[in-house]
Amino acid sequence: MLGAERIDTYLPLLQGKRVGLTINQSSRVGETRLIDTLLARKVQVVRAFGPEHGVNGQTAAATDVDNSEDPQTHTPFISLFGKQVKPPKEDIADIDIMVFDMQDVGVRFYTYISTLHYVMEACAESGIPLLLLDRPNPNDGYIDGPVREANCSSFIGMHPIPIVHGMTLGEYAQMINGQHWLKNGIQCNLKVITMQHYRHGMGYTLPIAPSPNLNTQRSVILYPSLCWFGGTIISDGRGTGTPFQLLGAPSLKDKYPFRFVPQPIPHVAERPMHMRDTCYGMDLRQISLDTIIRSKKLQLKWLLSLYENYPEKAHFFNGEAQNGPDTVIHFDLQAGTTRLRKQIKAGLSENEIRKSWQDGLEKFKKIREKYILYP
């Protein structure tokens, strides 16, 4: 039972209050939008705030989202992706309590945890309590990847955590508070409405796509191992009907027989990598998802193989040729470290690279234990 479905538990906390919502298209109670559920119960919703992709999940990645109004309820929607990423003081000044409810996928570079950070920070600064309705993490069966280093801090890597962190948003919010990651070490007055009958690693198929390119369960499961290709010359399948399930580039024609052609898709992939060019590479649609899930690790082998086979290695990592090998580039921000790129270029094996992650992972797991809400 999802946090949002436990209406009798949290409705008394909202009655008689002026309520703000941080929501998107995944914020539902069964088939009904959370905002409609609350309004039907006479909750006074003042305004809503939306993350990357907008409150309706219909804006392409890395595209600014404008403020808008819900056509059904006429509730003002304030964008937290574009000109601002943090709720302005004037937009929360008349709010008594903020509710946060959206579906995350458990990956450091998925920006909903960054939005969570800034909403918590704004609430803490204005003395507004935050009520978080918890949801499952579809990638919480493992913890893996390099822990983000300080020089690779960005909106797609705000905290020193590995790529796959194995926490629900409720647990993660507790970690943000407990580790004093908000500005000046302030803490948010946080209450998590936990799920019932949930345990880590049980698996969860998302009923609604959390963002335009995570349109299938396969994309959600493969996403942690494919998103860093966005910092390379390799297409990750965006601009096709199966994003985050294909890998390729035009220059790999002599290496792989499989091919695909990325096309612009309105509101999903406006200008995808290698748009309208034939890419050659890997088809991950046939790989057993159970095998990927049971491996309990990031699939580093695809990155190593494509780098090894790419003929123009100086151009494999976007921006490296122009800025030099010592500059932090987009791939590093996604990986959370400059070390991975250097390890790949030096020809280190997968085992050698994974070994370099272990100390950071063990330290993170000990910190994580303090904030876990589910077995």
Side-chain angles (χ1 to χ4, degrees):
M1 179 179 282
L2 306 180
E5 295 171 339
R6 300 182 63 195
I7 299 172
D8 291 342
T9 301
Y10 63 86
L11 190 60
L13 304 175
L14 306 180
Q15 290 171 330
K17 304 285 180 65
R18 294 173 63 85
V19 177
L21 304 177
T22 305
I23 53 175
N24 65 3
Q25 76 287 350
S26 69
S27 311
R28 292 177 177 261
V29 182
E31 298 295 317
T32 306
R33 298 187 309 168
L34 176 67
I35 188 171
D36 297 328
T37 300
L38 295 179
L39 289 172
R41 287 162 174 79
K42 308 303 181 184
V43 173
Q44 185 180 6
V45 178
V46 176
R47 65 185 58 84
F49 301 83
E52 184 178 11
H53 309 295
V55 292
N56 296 316
Q58 296 178 351
T59 303
T63 302
D64 286 0
V65 179
D66 294 328
N67 293 342
S68 60
E69 181 183 271
D70 179 33
Q72 295 168 249
T73 66
H74 304 292
T75 304
F77 277 139
I78 308 301
S79 169
L80 299 181
F81 192 82
K83 296 177 182 178
Q84 62 198 19
V85 293
K86 181 176 174 178
K89 285 188 177 181
E90 60 269 23
D91 285 326
I92 61 174
D94 56 348
I95 289 173
D96 297 319
I97 187 169
M98 179 76 81
V99 177
F100 191 104
D101 177 41
M102 64 181 70
Q103 180 62 60
D104 189 52
V105 296
V107 184
R108 185 184 62 220
F109 37 65
Y110 202 62
T111 60
Y112 296 169
I113 56 175
S114 302
T115 297
L116 173 61
H117 173 109
Y118 282 117
V119 169
M120 290 178 66
E121 191 169 277
C123 287
E125 290 172 343
S126 295
I128 298 170
L130 177 67
L131 183 68
L132 190 148
L133 311 181
D134 214 3
R135 291 178 177 269
N137 173 358
N139 284 304
D140 80 346
Y142 66 108
I143 300 166
D144 201 18
V147 171
R148 194 227 66 194
E149 297 168 354
N151 66 331
C152 291
S153 175
S154 73
F155 194 69
I156 57 171
M158 292 192 67
H159 309 124
I161 63 169
I163 288 176
V164 182
H165 53 70
M167 305 176 80
T168 68
L169 278 187
E171 294 169 331
Y172 198 88
Q174 293 197 142
M175 179 181 277
I176 290 174
N177 248 357
Q179 296 303 117
H180 299 279
W181 286 339
L182 301 180
K183 187 168 64 175
N184 300 323
I186 58 176
Q187 290 186 305
C188 175
N189 179 0
L190 171 72
K191 181 174 179 60
V192 178
I193 303 299
T194 57
M195 293 174 281
Q196 291 183 323
H197 319 300
Y198 178 75
R199 60 178 174 79
H200 285 288
M202 70 185 295
Y204 181 67
T205 300
L206 304 188
I208 296 174
S211 54
N213 282 298
L214 295 186
N215 59 351
T216 65
Q217 188 70 3
R218 179 175 291 272
S219 294
V220 169
I221 299 302
L222 292 175
Y223 173 74
S225 300
L226 266 67
C227 192
W228 49 24
F229 283 101
T232 74
I233 199 68
I234 303 297
S235 166
D236 53 19
R238 282 181 274 194
T240 73
T242 51
F244 296 114
Q245 300 180 51
L246 311 174
L247 292 169
S251 295
L252 290 167
K253 183 176 181 179
D254 296 333
K255 299 291 185 178
Y256 300 92
F258 173 72
R259 60 187 180 182
F260 62 94
V261 181
Q263 301 284 356
I265 303 175
H267 311 300
V268 177
E270 305 282 356
R271 294 188 60 81
M273 174 74 73
H274 304 305
M275 183 170 65
R276 298 191 179 96
D277 286 342
T278 302
C279 296
Y280 298 85
M282 300 178 177
D283 182 1
L284 307 179
R285 294 172 298 183
Q286 310 306 318
I287 294 176
S288 164
L289 267 192
D290 286 342
T291 299
I292 298 296
I293 293 169
R294 284 199 303 270
S295 73
K296 296 185 180 296
K297 65 180 182 180
L298 290 168
Q299 303 303 306
L300 188 58
K301 58 187 177 184
W302 300 326
L303 181 61
L304 298 178
S305 178
L306 286 162
Y307 178 80
E308 181 181 354
N309 284 310
Y310 197 76
E312 301 162 320
K313 290 181 172 50
H315 298 286
F316 185 85
F317 297 103
N318 294 337
E320 185 181 66
Q322 298 91 328
N323 299 304
D326 296 324
T327 302
V328 174
I329 58 175
H330 189 66
F331 177 85
D332 304 327
L333 298 181
Q334 290 182 300
T337 174
T338 58
R339 187 165 50 166
L340 177 59
R341 174 166 53 104
K342 293 173 181 177
Q343 290 170 327
I344 293 169
K345 291 172 64 179
L348 269 65
S349 68
E350 179 174 347
N351 286 339
E352 289 171 319
I353 293 172
R354 289 189 179 281
K355 187 176 180 180
S356 72
W357 299 347
Q358 293 313 305
D359 284 349
L361 285 172
E362 291 307 314
K363 290 176 183 176
F364 169 77
K365 288 176 182 177
K366 289 179 181 178
I367 295 171
R368 173 183 174 274
E369 286 176 2
K370 297 188 289 185
Y371 306 108
I372 293 303
L373 295 168
Y374 310 97

Short mmCIF file of all heavy atoms in Angstrom, two decimals, residues 54 61 76-77 87 98 109 124 145 152 168 214 222 227 238-239 261 275 280 287 291 373:
data_model
loop_
_atom_site.label_atom_id
_atom_site.label_comp_id
_atom_site.label_asym_id
_atom_site.label_seq_id
_atom_site.Cartn_x
_atom_site.Cartn_y
_atom_site.Cartn_z
N GLY A 54 7.88 18.61 -16.07
CA GLY A 54 6.60 19.27 -15.81
C GLY A 54 5.65 18.42 -14.98
O GLY A 54 5.86 17.23 -14.75
N ALA A 61 13.51 15.95 -21.61
CA ALA A 61 14.57 16.10 -20.63
C ALA A 61 15.40 17.35 -20.91
O ALA A 61 15.60 17.74 -22.07
CB ALA A 61 15.47 14.86 -20.64
N PRO A 76 -2.74 26.99 -9.65
CA PRO A 76 -1.48 27.45 -10.24
C PRO A 76 -0.38 26.39 -10.08
O PRO A 76 -0.24 25.79 -9.02
CB PRO A 76 -1.13 28.71 -9.43
CG PRO A 76 -2.39 29.09 -8.73
CD PRO A 76 -3.16 27.83 -8.51
N PHE A 77 0.36 26.17 -11.16
CA PHE A 77 1.50 25.25 -11.13
C PHE A 77 2.79 26.05 -11.28
O PHE A 77 2.97 26.77 -12.26
CB PHE A 77 1.40 24.23 -12.26
CG PHE A 77 0.52 23.05 -11.95
CD1 PHE A 77 -0.33 22.53 -12.92
CD2 PHE A 77 0.56 22.44 -10.71
CE1 PHE A 77 -1.13 21.42 -12.65
CE2 PHE A 77 -0.25 21.35 -10.42
CZ PHE A 77 -1.09 20.84 -11.39
N PRO A 87 11.49 26.38 -4.65
CA PRO A 87 10.28 27.18 -4.49
C PRO A 87 10.59 28.57 -3.94
O PRO A 87 11.20 28.69 -2.87
CB PRO A 87 9.45 26.38 -3.48
CG PRO A 87 9.96 24.97 -3.60
CD PRO A 87 11.42 25.11 -3.91
N MET A 98 3.49 21.50 3.13
CA MET A 98 3.81 21.05 1.77
C MET A 98 3.73 19.53 1.71
O MET A 98 4.21 18.83 2.61
CB MET A 98 5.22 21.49 1.37
CG MET A 98 5.65 21.04 -0.02
SD MET A 98 4.91 21.98 -1.36
CE MET A 98 6.00 23.42 -1.37
N PHE A 109 21.44 10.45 -10.73
CA PHE A 109 21.31 11.51 -11.73
C PHE A 109 19.87 11.74 -12.19
O PHE A 109 19.63 12.55 -13.08
CB PHE A 109 22.23 11.29 -12.94
CG PHE A 109 22.41 9.87 -13.39
CD1 PHE A 109 21.36 9.13 -13.88
CD2 PHE A 109 23.66 9.26 -13.33
CE1 PHE A 109 21.52 7.83 -14.31
CE2 PHE A 109 23.85 7.96 -13.76
CZ PHE A 109 22.78 7.24 -14.26
N ALA A 124 12.32 24.30 5.09
CA ALA A 124 13.09 24.50 6.32
C ALA A 124 13.33 25.99 6.58
O ALA A 124 13.19 26.46 7.71
CB ALA A 124 14.42 23.76 6.24
N GLY A 145 28.07 1.58 -8.04
CA GLY A 145 28.60 2.73 -8.75
C GLY A 145 29.54 3.56 -7.90
O GLY A 145 29.59 3.41 -6.67
N CYS A 152 32.49 17.01 -8.70
CA CYS A 152 31.49 16.63 -9.69
C CYS A 152 30.07 16.92 -9.18
O CYS A 152 29.11 16.28 -9.60
CB CYS A 152 31.63 15.16 -10.07
SG CYS A 152 33.13 14.82 -11.02
N THR A 168 14.12 4.42 -0.84
CA THR A 168 12.90 5.09 -1.27
C THR A 168 13.09 6.60 -1.05
O THR A 168 14.01 7.03 -0.34
CB THR A 168 11.67 4.63 -0.48
OG1 THR A 168 11.79 5.08 0.87
CG2 THR A 168 11.55 3.10 -0.50
N LEU A 214 11.43 7.08 -19.90
CA LEU A 214 11.33 5.85 -19.11
C LEU A 214 9.92 5.30 -19.30
O LEU A 214 9.10 5.26 -18.39
CB LEU A 214 11.65 6.11 -17.64
CG LEU A 214 13.08 6.55 -17.36
CD1 LEU A 214 13.34 6.65 -15.86
CD2 LEU A 214 14.10 5.63 -18.02
N LEU A 222 17.08 -0.65 -17.09
CA LEU A 222 18.35 -0.44 -17.79
C LEU A 222 18.90 0.97 -17.61
O LEU A 222 20.09 1.20 -17.79
CB LEU A 222 18.18 -0.72 -19.29
CG LEU A 222 17.92 -2.18 -19.68
CD1 LEU A 222 17.66 -2.30 -21.17
CD2 LEU A 222 19.10 -3.07 -19.28
N CYS A 227 22.29 5.76 -18.72
CA CYS A 227 22.16 7.21 -18.78
C CYS A 227 23.51 7.89 -18.96
O CYS A 227 23.58 8.96 -19.56
CB CYS A 227 21.45 7.74 -17.54
SG CYS A 227 20.97 9.48 -17.72
N ARG A 238 17.38 7.26 -27.27
CA ARG A 238 16.39 8.34 -27.26
C ARG A 238 16.16 8.81 -28.70
O ARG A 238 17.10 8.94 -29.48
CB ARG A 238 16.86 9.49 -26.36
CG ARG A 238 16.64 9.17 -24.90
CD ARG A 238 17.05 10.30 -23.98
NE ARG A 238 18.48 10.22 -23.64
CZ ARG A 238 19.04 10.91 -22.66
NH1 ARG A 238 18.29 11.73 -21.92
NH2 ARG A 238 20.33 10.79 -22.38
N GLY A 239 14.87 9.07 -29.00
CA GLY A 239 14.52 9.36 -30.38
C GLY A 239 14.03 8.12 -31.11
O GLY A 239 13.83 8.13 -32.32
N VAL A 261 17.71 4.29 -36.21
CA VAL A 261 17.79 5.69 -36.64
C VAL A 261 17.00 6.56 -35.66
O VAL A 261 15.77 6.53 -35.65
CB VAL A 261 17.22 5.88 -38.07
CG1 VAL A 261 17.34 7.34 -38.49
CG2 VAL A 261 17.94 4.97 -39.06
N MET A 275 20.56 12.46 -34.64
CA MET A 275 19.22 12.57 -35.21
C MET A 275 19.24 12.32 -36.72
O MET A 275 20.02 12.90 -37.45
CB MET A 275 18.65 13.97 -34.92
CG MET A 275 17.23 14.19 -35.40
SD MET A 275 16.55 15.75 -34.75
CE MET A 275 17.61 16.97 -35.56
N TYR A 280 24.82 2.19 -35.42
CA TYR A 280 25.13 0.76 -35.36
C TYR A 280 25.61 0.43 -33.96
O TYR A 280 26.39 1.19 -33.37
CB TYR A 280 26.20 0.40 -36.39
CG TYR A 280 25.78 0.66 -37.80
CD1 TYR A 280 25.93 1.93 -38.37
CD2 TYR A 280 25.21 -0.35 -38.58
CE1 TYR A 280 25.52 2.19 -39.67
CE2 TYR A 280 24.80 -0.10 -39.89
CZ TYR A 280 24.95 1.18 -40.42
OH TYR A 280 24.54 1.43 -41.71
N ILE A 287 17.66 -8.90 -24.13
CA ILE A 287 18.32 -9.40 -22.93
C ILE A 287 17.29 -9.65 -21.84
O ILE A 287 16.37 -8.85 -21.64
CB ILE A 287 19.37 -8.38 -22.45
CG1 ILE A 287 20.49 -8.27 -23.50
CG2 ILE A 287 19.95 -8.77 -21.11
CD1 ILE A 287 21.52 -7.22 -23.16
N THR A 291 17.75 -11.55 -15.67
CA THR A 291 19.21 -11.69 -15.57
C THR A 291 19.84 -10.39 -15.11
O THR A 291 20.73 -10.38 -14.25
CB THR A 291 19.79 -12.11 -16.93
OG1 THR A 291 19.23 -13.36 -17.32
CG2 THR A 291 21.31 -12.25 -16.85
N LEU A 373 13.69 2.55 6.33
CA LEU A 373 12.36 2.43 6.92
C LEU A 373 11.72 1.07 6.68
O LEU A 373 10.71 0.75 7.30
CB LEU A 373 11.43 3.50 6.32
CG LEU A 373 11.79 4.96 6.64
CD1 LEU A 373 10.98 5.90 5.76
CD2 LEU A 373 11.54 5.26 8.11
#
